[in-house]
Amino acid sequence: MLHSKTRWHSPAADPDVVAGLARSLSISPLLSSLLVTRGMTTPDEALLFMEGGADEQHDPFLLQGMAEAVPRIRKALDEGEHILVYGDYDADGVSSTALMIYLLRYLSASFDIYIPHRSNEGYGLHNHALDWALQQGVSLIITVDTGISAYHQIAYANTLGIDIIVTDHHEPPELLPEAFALINPKIPGCPYPFKGLAGVGVALKLAQAMLGPDTPEAWTEIAAIGTVADLMPLVGENRDIVRRGLLSMRESHFPGIRALLNVSGITMSTVSAVNIAFGMAPRINASGRLDHAGRAVTLLTTELAAEAEQLAAELDVLNKERQLVVERIVAEATAQLEATHESGSLPDIIVLADTGWNVGVVGIVASKLLERYYRPVIILDIHPETGMCKGSARSIPGLDIYEALSSCAGLMDHFGGHPAAAGMSLHRDQLVAFAAALNQYAASVLSPEHFIPAAAADAEVSLAELSLQAADELDKLAPFGMANPLPKFIVRGAVIQETRTMGQGSKHLKLVLQQDGCLLETVAFGKGALAELLPVGTVLDVLAELTVNEWNGSRKPQLMLQDLAVPEAQLFDLRGSADAAGKALYLKEMLRPYSGSSPFHAAAVFQSERTAVQSGLKGMSLWVYDNDGGISAIGQEQNAAPEQGISLICLMDMPETPEQLDALFATFSDVTNIALLHSIKEAKERLQIPTRDHFKSLYKSLASMAASAVPEREVLLRLSRQSSMSMRMLSRMLDVFEELDFIERNQGRIVFVSQPAAKSLTASRHFVRLGEVAEMEQYFMESSLSQLHDWMLSRRLGAS
């Protein structure tokens, strides 16, 4: 049994509303239900969502501050003022800066740009940058994707005689800076109807305010990149921006975008929001994480194809370096966490800090630890000389990390961000108090349920419903991203018809699932190790996305596995493994993430004469079969261990009697997984289910060779040479003959009884016993996994 890693839940759509919408729009019930569960219950709402329209676009002058900003920029243009675009180093900040460059080029402005270095300067406006701007003759600064929290810096700029127009989308603080104009849809009282714009979205609105209908449509390509990369909700106006941007990008004339698509392995004609998120955005971000974001800005704004190709290749190399750096820090952070919390009890908010943790990637590290431990995580890099810490936070639903940071604002030099992600800086002397204050806040907000990850599904369906036509129809819901994820479906009771691994190092998993005659391929990236847990015939529940697999002109539906569950107890066939103990430990670690909310415990059972095997079974409860037909724990600690609650039993040796097997089932009545790790006896050494012919043949042989007393060992050797039966089998058959008075045994010698009384073989207790033990051995040694599973199930039911 494998428990799913997440709790699956799917909304229940009103069937009458679904049916009505399907009729009105002539769409399938599946698509109709997806629209309804996403809030589109009327034909007009559904059509606007699927096809877009002017209703998703809003007047830029509805943004508070826009009416003041536009005349100030026009004045700067008329009077030849030097303008500075002050940006940020992430993909949204890079996109915002690039879009503003295109606007100022279009307006023939005199301008320069400034993006702070992530590691050396950190986020936001800095006074030394303002001093530099003054030296360059700057009299107007336009911030993009930053500035809303820069109260003191903007006050300083005012003393220098520099006007600042802030365009930002981050959460505004209580005390707003006294800038010339503040443009942010989240400012209290701002009448702009859509609050979810990215920083580049706000920059685009400024461009539209300046140019009106002359705003180039191609600029939506830049806006789409930043919107998707910054994980903004793809609903409302963001959906319109990204949809238009993708449409333009498929025929992009920007050398930088074309080169970036090419180096990311993305086909221009089919580029999607998912491609931006996982292909383009990481490479843009790599520039600001490991180098300076200016390189990415140059890529997006260059007019030279050769330069674009060179810059795109450099970003690709940086991204590969970034991946290696992330892997190292994740390993170090994990070790630090587990060393400080050996008991396994984790804080509500994980706060980890160390020197040498590249501040450019700590946000990614936080995300990876959040995924592993499912709780808010803050990762900070400590400057070895100054002791200053710069870090990033990632949070789970249920805890607004920006609010959490606000509750201990006095401990930090600076912070800012969103409910799900934030950045901060503080001195290392404040780290202990910082972590304590955050966890005190979390204790008042979070409950145990918040730490159980949930996965939202769109519907529970059959495999037959997930057709190629359905996959094509889902495209009407694109672009997919935050607040409009790619639909996920729950399929229950599918049977695995094929299991195999694929990719370099067998890293990925491919299954063929069957349900009611329908077959569907399912792919799980990075889950190749699960192949051993999912043999053919396993009944499986899956949470998956529906995609189209295109190869050599052929198109077919394919599932992308997100999570899985095996609702029935499982039997893992690892019989004859060369390193049985190593396999047991490996299996234990593989199953642990799929153990559900209960603690995971594993036990190993072996024959009493093989106690040396226990040294290789660290962390497992150890048991031996005993001579009385039962099993018993080894050591005082094992006797104290609960018999219930064992999730995995590893049979290092097979039981020698059915009673031992029954005792095992009686002792571990709730076990959900059994691994067969016993050795396989050679055919010559196995028992055979006894037949009358076996005994008839043996009787004749004994009559000829044991008319007078003969050593039993000699008899067995001669009999084994004459038949295909093992010495073990022949010895047990002699037990039957002795019990029936067909032979006599005396001091290791055998003599044949020439005229015994007629007796039935079935009257022999040894005959019945031999049949039972031989049957069990045959199942454990020779049968298929399904045959052994069914037989063990019948024994288990009998034992219970």
Side-chain angles (χ1 to χ4, degrees), residues 461-468 491-498 511-522 546 557-559:
V461 299
S462 67
L463 284 185
E465 293 177 84
L466 301 177
S467 62
L468 181 60
V491 179
R492 300 191 188 275
V495 180
I496 297 178
Q497 295 294 300
E498 181 184 339
L511 305 172
V512 176
L513 302 181
Q514 184 271 338
Q515 185 184 62
D516 298 328
C518 179
L519 296 176
L520 194 57
E521 290 184 352
T522 302
L546 178 62
Q558 177 178 269
L559 293 181

Side-chain angles (χ1 to χ4, degrees), residues 478-797:
F480 298 112
M482 295 299 292
N484 183 46
L486 193 67
K488 293 181 176 64
F489 300 102
I490 298 171
V491 179
R492 300 191 188 275
V495 180
I496 297 178
Q497 295 294 300
E498 181 184 339
T499 299
R500 64 183 177 90
T501 57
M502 60 183 190
Q504 186 176 7
S506 298
K507 186 177 182 180
H508 310 303
L509 176 69
K510 186 172 186 178
L511 305 172
V512 176
L513 302 181
Q514 184 271 338
Q515 185 184 62
D516 298 328
C518 179
L519 296 176
L520 194 57
E521 290 184 352
T522 302
V523 173
F525 289 113
K527 292 184 170 61
L530 286 178
E532 288 190 288
L533 307 184
L534 300 171
V536 170
T538 302
V539 178
L540 195 65
D541 297 339
V542 299
L543 176 70
E545 297 170 348
L546 178 62
T547 62
V548 176
N549 180 19
E550 300 191 37
W551 180 253
N552 285 340
S554 173
R555 302 177 75 247
K556 58 183 179 180
Q558 177 178 269
L559 293 181
M560 301 301 293
L561 190 71
Q562 304 299 309
D563 199 1
L564 61 86
V566 177
E568 299 176 354
Q570 286 183 274
L571 190 63
F572 301 114
D573 189 0
L574 300 168
R575 290 176 284 186
S577 296
D579 180 14
K583 276 288 188 183
L585 295 178
Y586 173 77
L587 191 60
K588 182 186 72 168
E589 294 308 312
M590 283 294 299
L591 286 170
R592 188 183 300 278
Y594 295 93
S595 60
S597 57
S598 303
F600 182 85
H601 300 293
V605 189
F606 41 89
Q607 296 296 342
S608 57
E609 66 270 17
R610 286 228 308 146
T611 52
V613 75
Q614 63 184 292
S615 61
L617 298 168
K618 184 179 180 182
M620 301 180 73
S621 174
L622 304 179
W623 298 71
V624 294
Y625 302 107
D626 58 42
N627 294 328
D628 297 325
I631 64 170
S632 56
I634 295 179
Q636 185 63 38
E637 290 186 8
Q638 304 302 335
N639 285 320
E643 295 176 355
Q644 309 301 321
I646 295 292
S647 304
L648 168 67
I649 297 177
C650 294
L651 302 187
M652 312 306 293
D653 294 311
M654 63 166 281
E656 291 184 341
T657 66
E659 288 77 16
Q660 288 180 344
L661 179 61
D662 294 342
L664 187 146
F665 287 142
T667 302
F668 302 108
S669 57
D670 295 331
V671 69
T672 53
N673 295 297
I674 299 175
L676 305 175
L677 290 150
H678 59 273
S679 59
I680 301 294
K681 290 185 176 74
E682 293 185 12
K684 182 71 174 175
E685 299 302 317
R686 299 176 192 169
L687 297 178
Q688 299 178 32
I689 296 177
T691 67
R692 289 185 180 276
D693 288 341
H694 287 142
F695 283 91
K696 185 177 179 179
S697 175
L698 179 62
Y699 188 87
K700 290 180 179 179
S701 297
L702 287 172
S704 65
M705 73 176 63
S708 59
V710 181
E712 182 171 341
R713 177 68 178 170
E714 181 181 332
V715 170
L716 289 173
L717 287 172
R718 289 171 63 184
L719 290 172
S720 66
R721 287 194 291 266
Q722 294 174 11
S723 72
S724 61
M725 290 182 285
S726 68
M727 298 274 280
R728 292 174 60 232
M729 180 70 180
L730 291 166
S731 179
R732 287 175 177 263
M733 292 174 73
L734 291 180
D735 292 340
V736 175
F737 276 176
E738 181 185 26
E739 182 183 358
L740 296 175
D741 297 323
F742 293 169
I743 63 171
E744 293 177 356
R745 279 172 164 159
N746 185 22
Q747 296 182 345
R749 301 174 77 86
I750 291 177
V751 62
F752 180 71
V753 178
S754 59
Q755 291 183 333
K759 294 179 182 178
S760 171
L761 284 172
T762 55
S764 167
R765 177 175 54 86
H766 283 96
F767 177 82
V768 174
R769 183 65 168 173
L770 176 58
E772 292 174 343
V773 175
E775 179 190 42
M776 183 183 74
E777 186 170 297
Q778 186 178 72
Y779 274 109
F780 271 91
M781 294 291 169
E782 301 176 18
S783 67
S784 67
L785 187 62
S786 62
Q787 291 171 331
L788 181 55
H789 177 276
D790 292 344
W791 181 80
M792 290 182 72
L793 179 61
S794 67
R795 298 292 310 190
R796 186 172 185 173
L797 291 174

Side-chain angles (χ1 to χ4, degrees), residues 310-617:
Q310 176 64 31
L311 289 168
E314 292 173 4
L315 293 192
D316 189 51
V317 171
L318 279 175
N319 189 51
K320 289 181 173 66
E321 293 178 9
R322 186 270 306 168
Q323 291 170 335
L324 294 175
V325 172
V326 167
E327 289 177 9
R328 174 183 64 81
I329 300 175
V330 166
E332 293 175 0
T334 301
Q336 183 186 125
L337 177 65
E338 294 180 353
T340 54
H341 296 84
E342 292 182 353
S343 64
S345 176
L346 296 174
D348 290 347
I349 299 180
I350 295 171
V351 180
L352 300 170
D354 206 345
T355 57
W357 286 359
N358 190 310
V359 71
V361 301
V362 290
I364 301 174
V365 175
S367 295
K368 290 188 176 293
L369 264 65
L370 182 150
E371 183 179 352
R372 178 177 297 185
Y373 298 106
Y374 200 71
R375 54 197 60 222
V377 179
I378 297 177
I379 303 293
L380 301 115
D381 172 61
I382 306 173
H383 193 284
E385 297 175 2
T386 66
M388 286 302 298
C389 306
K390 295 179 182 179
S392 289
R394 298 293 184 269
S395 192
I396 60 176
L399 186 128
D400 184 326
I401 195 65
Y402 182 82
E403 291 296 328
L405 293 171
S406 298
S407 72
C408 56
L411 297 173
M412 294 173 286
D413 288 33
H414 174 81
F415 75 98
H418 309 296
M424 73 295 297
S425 61
L426 66 156
H427 196 271
R428 70 185 309 164
D429 293 344
Q430 302 288 356
L431 280 175
V432 174
F434 178 62
L438 284 173
N439 276 281
Q440 182 177 357
Y441 175 86
S444 68
V445 174
L446 296 173
S447 63
E449 289 73 24
H450 286 113
F451 298 113
I452 302 174
D458 292 82
E460 191 165 321
V461 299
S462 67
L463 284 185
E465 293 177 84
L466 301 177
S467 62
L468 181 60
Q469 180 181 351
D472 289 336
E473 203 173 27
L474 293 184
D475 280 343
K476 295 180 180 180
L477 302 179
F480 298 112
M482 295 299 292
N484 183 46
L486 193 67
K488 293 181 176 64
F489 300 102
I490 298 171
V491 179
R492 300 191 188 275
V495 180
I496 297 178
Q497 295 294 300
E498 181 184 339
T499 299
R500 64 183 177 90
T501 57
M502 60 183 190
Q504 186 176 7
S506 298
K507 186 177 182 180
H508 310 303
L509 176 69
K510 186 172 186 178
L511 305 172
V512 176
L513 302 181
Q514 184 271 338
Q515 185 184 62
D516 298 328
C518 179
L519 296 176
L520 194 57
E521 290 184 352
T522 302
V523 173
F525 289 113
K527 292 184 170 61
L530 286 178
E532 288 190 288
L533 307 184
L534 300 171
V536 170
T538 302
V539 178
L540 195 65
D541 297 339
V542 299
L543 176 70
E545 297 170 348
L546 178 62
T547 62
V548 176
N549 180 19
E550 300 191 37
W551 180 253
N552 285 340
S554 173
R555 302 177 75 247
K556 58 183 179 180
Q558 177 178 269
L559 293 181
M560 301 301 293
L561 190 71
Q562 304 299 309
D563 199 1
L564 61 86
V566 177
E568 299 176 354
Q570 286 183 274
L571 190 63
F572 301 114
D573 189 0
L574 300 168
R575 290 176 284 186
S577 296
D579 180 14
K583 276 288 188 183
L585 295 178
Y586 173 77
L587 191 60
K588 182 186 72 168
E589 294 308 312
M590 283 294 299
L591 286 170
R592 188 183 300 278
Y594 295 93
S595 60
S597 57
S598 303
F600 182 85
H601 300 293
V605 189
F606 41 89
Q607 296 296 342
S608 57
E609 66 270 17
R610 286 228 308 146
T611 52
V613 75
Q614 63 184 292
S615 61
L617 298 168

Side-chain angles (χ1 to χ4, degrees), residues 70-83 103-104 106-110 140 210-211:
V70 169
R72 178 65 185 88
I73 296 172
R74 294 199 186 283
K75 175 177 179 294
L77 295 172
D78 292 340
E79 298 181 4
E81 295 181 56
H82 194 52
I83 301 171
L103 173 62
L104 295 179
Y106 188 96
L107 296 171
S108 301
S110 170
L140 174 64
M210 293 293 299
L211 305 180

Side-chain angles (χ1 to χ4, degrees), residues 177-232:
E178 296 178 358
F180 185 90
L182 294 176
I183 305 174
N184 183 334
K186 294 178 181 175
I187 291 175
C190 177
Y192 199 74
F194 184 70
K195 306 298 182 181
L197 291 172
V200 71
V202 179
L204 179 64
K205 300 312 292 186
L206 177 58
Q208 292 173 349
M210 293 293 299
L211 305 180
D214 293 332
T215 306
E217 181 69 9
W219 292 359
T220 58
E221 297 178 38
I222 307 294
I225 293 172
T227 300
V228 172
D230 216 41
L231 304 180
M232 292 297 100

